[in-house]
Amino acid sequence: MVNSEYLKGLNKAQKEAVLHLDGPLLIVAGAGSGKTKVLTSRIANIIWEKKAFPNQILAVTFTNKAAKEMQSRVSKILGKSATSLSWLGTFHSICAKLLRKHSSAANLNSNFTIIDTDDQVRLIKNICKAENVDVKQISPKFILAIIDRWKNKGFYPNEVIINNKDIFEKTILPIYKIYQQKIIDLNSCDFGDLILHTVKILENNKDIRDIYSKNFKYILVDEYQDTNFIQSRWLKLLTNNNENICCVGDDDQSIYSWRGAEIKNFLEFDKVYKNTKIIRLEENYRSTQNILSVASNLIANNENRLGKTLKTSSENGDLIKINCFKNGKDESIGVSDEIEKLRKKFSLNNVAILVRAIFQTREFEERFLKIGMPYRILGGTKFYERAEIKDCVAYLRIVYQEKDDLAFERIVNNPKRSIGDNTLKTIHEFAKINLFSLENASRKMIEKNLIKPKAKIGLSNFLELLSKWRNDLKNKKLGHVKLLQIILDESSYSATLKNKKDLENENRLENIKELLNAMKEFDNLESFLEHVSLATSIDQEWDGEKINMMTMHSAKGLEFDVVFLPGWEEGLFPHQKSIEEKGHKGLEEERRLAYVGITRAKKRVSISFSMNRFYQGDWIDSMASRFIEELPEKNLEKNSFFEESKEEIDDFEFNQDFDLESQERSPGWIRYQKRIK
């Protein structure tokens, strides 16, 4: 007799997924369709029906948060018996547990340590130094990314087959061999090893493999579309004796190929596990019908998908807004004005702005700072707090004001000039005794030959550059934007970022280009530096409700009442780089990202694009994203710009803070006036 309590509130498809216990099962769970509820109810049913003891159930998630949520929900249903779910956790935590039991098979002791990213970077740096590999040309983080990619493919160093045309792979493979031996010698492993070692142990030791494949009578996996090769291989090995495996996910939300996720694991599940039953969860409990119709119409343009149609019993809701703006600044004004209107109905905590690339937050941050609208950046750092931005500002500050010790300290050895901590310490001591600024102290110590030769060369070159830049600013009457460009060039700061093959550095360069764009809005260096300091101090005053800003990648799994999706322009979204590198597959992943963005919304969605955008140092004419053309007209509401004639457009000013004729001021304009007074 099935306990009806955990079946209450389940729809027909959800109930079917919970009660189907024999053989492989793939649950295609659309956004907001209650997949966590299904998974937890399924676990409860397995235990209630005595199909397995709690310790015979393997339940795998991608995050600790998801694991805790699942544990909590099962506990509410089963009470004390849920505490015996000893094999519920993340891929890494469960593999760590298995590896501790069988560590000797991987040449480790059971008390091995798991090293973090910082430890990995430090170890790679040491190896590169010993092997004469220039970390300025190939960054340790990029090396680790390639090593991690090999591990995700299931390769130990001796199993890697490199592409001889790839100079980076030829350089990195010897480093991988040394790195792997060193962490074994240290009785350690990294996160990639946790799964790789476990897979190799199961492949090479039938007796160990049989223990676990016989023990785990049921296997459940959340977010299966995000699995990589090694994770799917691990699961296959554990289903050797029975195939009661249930995987839940949404192929339309597979957006992490850049970190190794393989959508084919999901699409080809029924080929790997014969006699697979597929159940689609298509009832959405999050969004209005208009939102779902738009999202479904868009994603239907993808060819590589299992297919489903989301529906809801809730109302149609508001039409999806499509807004065209003159430029990025007008876009930020338009969005902020719309949020002002919505504040009466929705909490700011339930409003989100989702961008394709993190540099896009800058114009919105500037706008919110100006009008006093509180905001937070989720999964990232606020624009003026990003390391590369603070570095640029520090360079400008020390050129502007030679007594700015904090700025001097930040960039004197950035990029590296052989000026170590000991040298800085002696400069500090000399400055304190003689009541000098750090810069003046440095100049005096060089005169008196108090700096070690190597550090002296680096410090002298830096001080000469400072003098030159000040002269450029004063005598050549160089503009502040051009000044920063020269600083970045002559200091080798931008070259250091460009020379390191690293996705992180690419993002930093994008942010610096956006900073140069921001600086053009100010008349001189003084006003810009004042703006930066005020922006930071204003930000610190805010508490309570805040608008959420993040990338669409960071938004996966979250939901908000209102979602704004700006910057839907060709080249930016879909991102040109994604299409260039991965072709049609890249375009389909970008479309899945758009689908994720739209389906984060419960009540309202507003999509926007600009006709002109300052991007990568130049004004460009923008085209609306092809994704906008793929949205159904009947579910859309377009702003008046779409109806304006060419003559009308030339004279039309977009989204001004107040109407000149009526003199009606927006709340944002009023707050700004109060602030500047």
Side-chain angles (χ1 to χ4, degrees), residues 252-264:
D252 292 335
Q253 295 188 67
S254 179
I255 58 174
Y256 296 129
S257 68
W258 50 276
R259 67 184 191 196
E262 296 191 7
I263 192 173
K264 73 174 185 179

Side-chain angles (χ1 to χ4, degrees), residues 315-361:
E315 74 279 3
N316 286 335
D318 295 331
L319 295 173
I320 277 63
K321 288 190 174 184
I322 307 291
N323 293 318
C324 174
F325 296 99
K326 190 176 179 181
N327 52 47
K329 187 175 181 180
D330 282 333
E331 185 177 44
S332 68
I333 293 171
V335 169
S336 69
D337 285 354
E338 185 66 23
I339 293 172
E340 293 279 18
K341 295 173 187 174
L342 294 171
R343 288 187 79 172
K344 297 174 184 176
K345 190 173 179 181
F346 299 102
S347 161
L348 290 184
N349 290 335
N350 272 314
V351 176
I353 299 172
L354 310 183
V355 297
R356 175 59 181 86
I358 195 64
F359 78 85
Q360 290 175 260
T361 67

Side-chain angles (χ1 to χ4, degrees), residues 241-255:
N241 277 277
N242 72 73
E243 291 194 337
N244 289 333
I245 181 170
C246 168
C247 292
V248 184
D250 185 1
D251 51 325
D252 292 335
Q253 295 188 67
S254 179
I255 58 174

